[in-house]
Amino acid sequence: PKTFQDAIYISRSLGVGLLWIDSLCIFQDSKDDWRHQSSNMADIYSNSLCNIAAAAASQASVGCFNERADDLIRPCTVSTKWKDCENGRYQICETQLFRRELPAGPLRTRGWVLQECLLAPRVLYFHKQQLWWECAELLACEMYPLRLPNDVFVDPAYRILHSIRHIKLSGNWEKLHLWAKIVESYMGCCLTNSEDKLVALSGIAKVMQRHLNSPYFAGLWGMSLPSQLLWQRAPHAPYLSRPHGYRAPSW
């Protein structure tokens, strides 16, 4: 598929000789291999150099690269010509740039993608309009290659990557709050197979458990079980039926 070809081209351009693609590296018709590899997802993505995200692709045939207008990824600058005050050159910042481009892509709706992006130390998003870069230190794009300006609004949920890379420095309350934010983001995603519900989050849970040192019970932590049982359905969220097969306790 074109997305795979583009990923190979990107890897070679970065001077990287090894590329992990889930659907090629895991035997799709082998439950044993899938079970074994899925338990290693935390280590696979955490130890990667960079995660390549085809953010605008709805399927593997679309690819990573898109036709775009170069003028749209250049910062807008204006020069003033006042007669009664000092003149200068100013940059016009679109405060909704991040909200308009990143969350809208089809990739963000896939349940498996969340932990792939969170566990990787760096993510390179090939979006429709421009490239975006995310790591533990900064968020940048082609329009602002050094760093996204402070005036650009960024949804707090997308700061999770920064938090999870610095999880060693936080206390248990901050870690549990981070977990709640991760689960909230995850619940807005879709899965092809409903039985993957806990498995697609198991890599992040494995990382969290190393730092919380607490028993893990199907999405909840033993150290704060009573408070985590207090939850409610999001406003306007659809009611869903119970899964046909046993997946987890009723919570």
Side-chain angles (χ1 to χ4, degrees):
K2 192 175 188 304
T3 301
F4 294 2
Q5 295 181 44
D6 288 348
I8 294 171
Y9 171 78
I10 294 165
S11 300
R12 287 177 173 172
S13 299
L14 295 173
V16 178
L18 297 174
L19 175 67
W20 172 278
I21 299 177
D22 284 351
S23 58
L24 297 183
C25 297
I26 301 176
F27 294 119
Q28 297 299 292
D29 57 350
S30 172
K31 289 186 178 180
D32 290 337
D33 190 60
W34 181 86
R35 191 179 299 109
H36 170 71
Q37 297 293 355
S38 62
S39 65
N40 294 328
M41 286 293 103
D43 296 324
I44 291 172
Y45 286 102
S46 296
N47 292 304
S48 67
L49 175 70
C50 178
N51 188 26
I52 299 171
S58 57
Q59 53 190 1
S61 61
V62 176
C64 296
F65 302 103
N66 299 275
E67 295 289 335
R68 75 263 180 88
D70 292 342
D71 291 341
L72 296 179
I73 58 174
R74 293 178 186 150
C76 177
T77 57
V78 295
S79 298
T80 59
K81 295 182 179 180
W82 308 111
K83 294 181 179 180
D84 55 350
C85 62
E86 184 179 354
N87 287 294
R89 189 173 177 84
Y90 302 91
Q91 188 175 94
I92 305 299
C93 178
E94 182 187 350
T95 59
Q96 299 300 313
L97 176 67
F98 177 87
R99 178 177 279 181
R100 176 171 60 83
E101 289 198 11
L102 265 187
L107 194 67
R108 283 291 187 178
T109 64
R110 296 176 55 198
W112 278 98
V113 169
L114 180 67
Q115 76 169 5
E116 294 173 6
C117 289
L118 291 184
L119 294 176
R122 306 164 190 86
V123 185
L124 186 59
Y125 296 97
F126 287 80
H127 215 272
K128 191 172 184 178
Q129 297 295 338
Q130 61 182 319
L131 289 175
W132 284 77
W133 171 267
E134 186 180 22
C135 67
E137 294 184 356
L138 60 85
L139 181 65
C141 60
E142 287 183 84
M143 185 177 289
Y144 302 106
L146 298 180
R147 180 182 293 272
L148 209 63
N150 293 330
D151 292 333
V152 177
F153 172 81
V154 177
D155 190 325
Y158 290 88
R159 294 297 190 189
I160 292 176
L161 176 66
H162 175 84
S163 301
I164 203 168
R165 301 308 298 175
H166 292 84
I167 193 172
K168 294 179 182 179
L169 306 178
S170 59
N172 283 343
W173 186 90
E174 289 84 2
K175 293 171 185 175
L176 290 172
H177 183 68
L178 172 61
W179 175 256
K181 286 293 183 183
I182 292 173
V183 171
E184 185 178 355
S185 297
Y186 180 66
M187 292 305 295
C189 301
C190 301
L191 288 167
T192 303
N193 300 314
S194 61
E195 58 267 24
D196 292 347
K197 184 65 111 178
L198 289 173
V199 182
L201 199 65
S202 61
I204 300 176
K206 187 176 180 180
V207 172
M208 294 291 294
Q209 192 167 34
R210 293 171 185 167
H211 300 285
L212 282 173
N213 192 27
S214 172
Y216 176 68
F217 303 112
L220 306 182
W221 299 97
M223 64 185 301
S224 184
L225 192 61
S227 63
Q228 290 181 73
L229 285 171
L230 297 173
W231 61 272
Q232 64 181 8
R233 186 176 64 93
H236 311 299
Y239 285 97
L240 301 177
S241 60
R242 290 181 181 273
H244 296 296
Y246 178 80
R247 187 170 65 198
S250 59
W251 65 68

